[in-house]
Each structure stands twice: as C-alpha cells, then as structure tokens.
Amino acid sequence: MTTTHHHLVVLGAGFGGIGLAVKLREAGFTDFVVLDRAAELGGTWQANTYPGCACDVPSQLYSYSFAPNPDWSRTYGRQTEILDYLRDVARRFGVVPHLRLDTELIDARWDETRGRWHVQTSRGTYTADYFLCAAGIFAEAKYPELPGLDTFAGTRFHSLHWDHDHDLTGERVAVIGTGASAVQFVPEIAPKVRSLTVFQRSAPWIVPRMDRPTLGLERLLLRRVPLAGKAIRGTWYTLIEGFGLVGFVDNRFRHPYELLGRMQLRRQIRDPELRAKVTPDYMIGCKRAIFSDAYLPALDRDNVDVVTDGIAEVRPHSIVTRGGAEIEVDTIVFGTGFTSFPTAFERITGRDGKTVSALYHERPQAYLGAAIAGFPNFFTTLGPFGAAGNQSAVYMIESQIAYIVDALTTLRDRGEHRVELRPEVQEEFLAEMARRSADTVWLTGGCTSYYTTAEGGNAGLYPNWSFEYRRRTARFDIDAYEVTA
C-alpha cells in the first residue's frame, strides 16, 4: 500500500471530528483527512440504533453553536434525526471530501527522527505533521463477566450492537444493567415481550425529562428569529449548568434535585415494594442522573420485574441469582455501558513508546482534556478533565476545538513545526484537578461509577464550571508547550 502525507490527520467522524473539520477549513487548513472505522460518519450516533435511542440533553444544546437547527422534531432529538443533522453539517460545510470512512486505525506512532506521525490503517498508510484524536469515549461495548454465560442457548446482544433481526415479541427477556441506554430501550420493548426481568445493581436517579414534540409555529419562529434559538439554548445551558452546584460546589445543593426525583418515583411507581427497590441509596450526581418520563412506568408494568439480587450464574435457558432464584430467559440484552478505553487508545503511541491507553491506565492524565505530555504534535477532544458532568458534551467539544484550531493557527503563523506539552504544566494541572475533586459528590456521594477510578479518584470530569473551562481554552497558551521550528 502507498503512503500518503497530509498536514493533519483526524481520527473519528463523530461530533468531535466533524466539528474539527469545519473549523479547520474555516481557519484555512485544507490538507487534512478524517478517518473513521465505520462505513458512515456520526460516531456514537451511527453506532447506537437500539429502540428509543435519543439524546439525553435537549437538542438545542446538543448541537453545534455554529450550526443551529430550528427543525428538531422534539425537545430531545432521536438517533436518526441527530445522525441526519451531522450528515447535513458535513455536507453544508464541505467536510465530506475529507472523510476516509471504513478506514480502521491499526497503529499511530510519533517518529521523532522525521518529526511526524506515522499512521497505519486498514486502507493504507499516512504520515502527518499533526495527529488529532477525536475518537469517542463511548465506542466499545462493555460486557459483564458472568459464570456460564457462554453456555446460554438463547440470543444475547449488547445495546450498542442491537440485533434488529431478532424479534422480541412474546419472549422472556432479561435486561442486565440500568444505565442511560437501558432507561431508553426498556420502555420500548416492555409492551411487546412476554416477560421482562431487569437486573439492577444500583438504582439510577431518574428526573423528569419533559420531552414533547415541537410545534410547527415554534420551528417557524426559530427559522425566522435566530435570536430565539440562542435564547432557548442559553436557557437550557443555564439549567443544566446548575447541576454543578451539586457536583463540585456543595453536595447540600442536592436536596431540591433529590426531592424532584423522589416526587417522580412516588408519582410513577404505585407499588411501595417496587418503589423501594428503585430508590437510589446514594447522593444524586454521584452517578449520572438520567432524564426520563417513561422508564419508571415501564418498571411498574405487570409483565416487568426488577431483580436486585446479584447474578450467580447463567444456564442454557435461565439466569440464577445469588439467592437461588432461577428465572427462565429466551434473550439477554446487555445495557452495561462502555469500556473506559476505546481500542484506538491502545494503538496511539507517543514519544516514549507508551500508548494513550497505557498512560490512562496509570492514571487519568491530560491537560485541559486536549493535550498529553509525551505526545508531540498531538491534540485530542474529550481527554481526561475535558468532559463535564454538568454540561452538554458538545459544548465541551467546541471549547476544545477552538483551543486546538487556535494552537495550529498560532504554530502555522509562527513557522513552528514541533509542539509538545511541558510535563510540569500537566502535573500542575493534574494537582489542581485533584484538589478541586476531593470534596465533589462524584467521590463522596456513596457510589461507584465511571466517574471514578478503581482507586476512588476522579476519572476525568472537569471539577469546575463549563464557562470557566471555556475561558481557559479560548486561546492557545503557547508558554505551556515546548515549541521548536
């Protein structure tokens, strides 16, 4: 296979990669490609197709600020609608010619001698002056380790790999996991199955979603008066940002939010015994709170049972709990979330021979979630401490895009070639993150989640306001880097 050189190689064609491509073009960069292993752009929004798949942030906020969409059909966009939105953005802003789809990363490593990245893919080899990683952090399905699972004779699949050819109608279905995906697909499948058993390790906090179709008059107003869309976006931003009061300001702010969740529980669950099962035993915000109006009523159906006893083993036609109960099952659906480190992170190697994955396994480390010491000419989106527990991921991604594009523009204008984050800058930043995280609800709220490491530390959430983060990433702070011509 031939080797092709580009000034920039971008990995990932989801919200991060498409947004980067748009802003790179606006800044005058045209010699770049965007690689993605999928046959279509969209990232998580082309991969997840389970019933009920939708945004869990209002779509007016879960979209690019530079490409508002006045035509969302609902408050929370569905998967197909979000995917169509990303396709439209890529087309309108001239990104499509830069896409190299169905192209899986095999290996990417920094060549210190030549001062460039060597990127091997399933469709050829690239070299690049800069390598930009926009690979999504929710890219690989996570499966539980259950004794006897390999002996199960029925159908089993993960929500990320939904088997649309398998009809669940009239079946005895087990759902393992109660995260954000399960909360969306359980109400969709509950009415059609013979029985549904939800295996719950810990109950999620559920707060009102208040989803509804948007009226034609609303869409007309948003098309005619763009300022109205900005006002709606700003309102949602402020409401969601308010969760930071619980997350990292003072967990005593949790009480109004918990009251809202308990009121929803009392209103939507009639059975006191079931209500007790699905009442969380930890502070709201310790795990990701989930917006839903349909999940709790689905659990209250006559054909649905919630099991809080752990799973002892899986047999060919049943699941046995630790208490000895045997539940007959035709199909198992895993709603157990995603691995912490996508495969791509294991294939990106820095100056010292360490991969991104190896560094993240040591401890979550990055600077502003956008750069990593030991990785020259490398930037990333949603790296450790570049995600917020109280804001739309798209808002944080746009902040990182602005920082990365300003960095590349600054380096271009100064005639510089090599840039690498100073290790002492990263260490100082990580120490700040640790100090600010110590009293957060994520670490003190009485739960374990993907918000925390195995050692009980912050796994990578930014422990401050998202608008403060945006201020810090508004300009490339070149003094934090070693730069050579």
Side-chain angles (χ1 to χ4, degrees):
M1 291 186 179
T2 59
T3 298
T4 306
H5 181 78
H6 292 282
H7 184 50
L8 307 161
V9 167
V10 180
L11 180 67
F15 265 100
I18 298 300
L20 260 171
V22 170
K23 291 301 177 180
L24 286 170
R25 283 177 56 85
E26 286 185 1
F29 294 98
T30 57
D31 182 17
F32 69 89
V33 290
V34 181
L35 314 178
D36 200 288
R37 65 183 177 182
E40 186 175 7
L41 63 83
T44 190
W45 295 107
Q46 64 79 28
N48 285 276
T49 61
Y50 58 82
C53 183
C55 189
D56 54 8
V57 173
S59 291
Q60 291 293 344
L61 186 58
Y62 196 84
S63 50
Y64 299 117
S65 62
F66 58 81
N69 177 18
D71 292 317
W72 293 111
S73 65
R74 307 185 64 86
T75 306
Y76 297 82
R78 303 292 174 89
Q79 175 261 336
T80 53
E81 197 172 10
I82 298 170
L83 184 56
D84 285 342
Y85 168 76
L86 282 170
R87 290 173 180 147
D88 180 63
V89 169
R91 179 187 56 79
R92 284 194 290 127
F93 288 87
V95 171
V96 174
H98 297 274
L99 297 178
R100 302 294 182 268
L101 302 175
D102 201 18
T103 303
E104 183 171 8
L105 177 70
I106 304 301
D107 182 78
R109 60 185 61 238
W110 172 252
D111 183 341
E112 183 70 17
T113 302
R114 301 180 67 192
R116 60 177 53 175
W117 281 88
H118 187 271
V119 182
Q120 184 182 354
T121 79
S122 60
R123 289 181 174 269
T125 302
Y126 297 88
T127 57
D129 300 316
Y130 296 90
F131 187 56
L132 312 179
C133 180
I137 55 177
F138 298 130
E140 316 285 346
K142 180 180 180 180
Y143 293 89
E145 295 182 4
L146 300 174
L149 182 59
D150 290 342
T151 70
F152 184 65
T155 301
R156 65 181 192 266
F157 53 85
H158 193 281
S159 62
L160 179 62
H161 307 293
W162 195 273
D163 187 350
H164 291 280
D165 294 328
H166 182 68
D167 187 3
L168 297 176
T169 303
E171 289 202 333
R172 297 165 298 184
V173 178
V175 171
I176 299 176
T178 55
S181 299
V183 166
Q184 291 186 346
F185 71 71
V186 162
E188 298 291 323
I189 67 173
K192 65 172 64 175
V193 302
R194 174 179 166 188
S195 65
L196 179 62
T197 305
V198 178
F199 287 88
Q200 172 190 281
R201 187 170 59 178
S202 63
W205 277 100
I206 306 291
V207 293
R209 185 176 177 86
M210 298 180 292
D211 189 22
R212 64 174 181 82
T214 54
L215 302 175
L217 185 61
E218 292 177 84
R219 298 184 211 176
L220 179 63
L221 176 65
L222 292 172
R223 284 194 294 270
R224 297 282 180 84
V225 187
L227 192 61
K230 291 182 178 180
I232 293 172
R233 183 183 179 94
T235 300
W236 279 119
Y237 172 85
T238 303
L239 290 172
I240 293 175
E241 187 77 354
F243 279 106
L245 292 170
V246 182
F248 49 78
V249 175
D250 192 320
N251 63 38
R252 286 175 291 185
F253 282 108
R254 75 184 188 276
H255 296 298
Y257 295 100
E258 290 188 355
L259 177 62
L260 188 64
R262 293 184 192 280
M263 288 174 60
Q264 174 131 313
L265 269 168
R266 182 164 292 277
R267 180 170 57 87
Q268 294 189 328
I269 299 288
R270 298 165 297 175
D271 179 7
E273 184 178 343
L274 175 59
R275 192 186 308 138
K277 279 185 179 181
V278 297
T279 298
D281 59 359
Y282 54 89
M283 297 179 191
I284 194 170
C286 182
K287 289 185 179 184
R288 180 183 182 183
I290 303 173
F291 295 94
S292 178
D293 299 320
Y295 178 67
L296 295 177
L299 300 185
D300 205 24
R301 292 177 57 92
D302 293 337
N303 67 329
V304 178
D305 188 26
V306 178
V307 174
T308 56
D309 197 7
I311 297 174
E313 65 171 323
V314 179
R315 294 177 180 172
H317 300 285
S318 64
I319 294 176
V320 181
T321 70
R322 291 173 186 165
E326 184 172 4
I327 301 162
E328 293 186 343
V329 174
D330 301 312
T331 296
I332 299 174
V333 182
F334 297 102
T336 44
F338 306 88
T339 60
S340 300
F341 307 106
T343 303
F345 291 0
E346 301 171 2
R347 302 173 179 178
I348 303 172
T349 305
R351 173 173 48 79
D352 296 328
K354 285 189 175 182
T355 65
V356 171
S357 182
L359 285 178
Y360 286 4
H361 273 98
E362 290 177 9
R363 58 170 174 159
Q365 53 187 295
Y367 175 62
L368 295 171
I372 308 172
F375 284 73
N377 291 20
F378 177 82
F379 294 98
T380 183
T381 60
L382 291 185
F385 309 106
N390 60 302
Q391 199 44 257
S392 164
V394 178
Y395 180 90
M396 302 300 284
I397 287 171
E398 281 201 59
S399 301
Q400 289 143 20
I401 289 172
Y403 183 81
I404 293 168
V405 173
D406 189 54
L408 295 171
T409 303
T410 301
L411 295 166
R412 178 187 62 189
D413 293 347
R414 291 175 52 141
E416 311 289 6
H417 174 70
R418 187 183 189 281
V419 60
E420 182 179 352
L421 180 68
R422 297 176 186 270
E424 63 272 20
V425 171
Q426 179 169 289
E427 289 304 314
E428 183 180 345
F429 176 76
L430 295 177
E432 177 198 345
M433 296 296 99
R435 287 193 306 272
R436 294 195 60 90
S437 298
D439 296 325
T440 61
V441 72
W442 313 320
L443 307 190
T444 63
C447 75
T448 57
S449 74
Y450 67 84
Y451 284 175
T452 58
T453 64
E455 297 74 29
N458 183 346
L461 291 180
Y462 188 70
N464 206 336
W465 302 108
S466 66
F467 56 80
E468 190 269 348
Y469 177 86
R470 175 152 290 192
R471 178 188 61 78
R472 293 178 74 162
T473 54
R475 302 284 304 172
F476 176 57
D477 48 348
I478 195 168
D479 291 341
Y481 295 79
E482 291 280 358
V483 180
T484 53

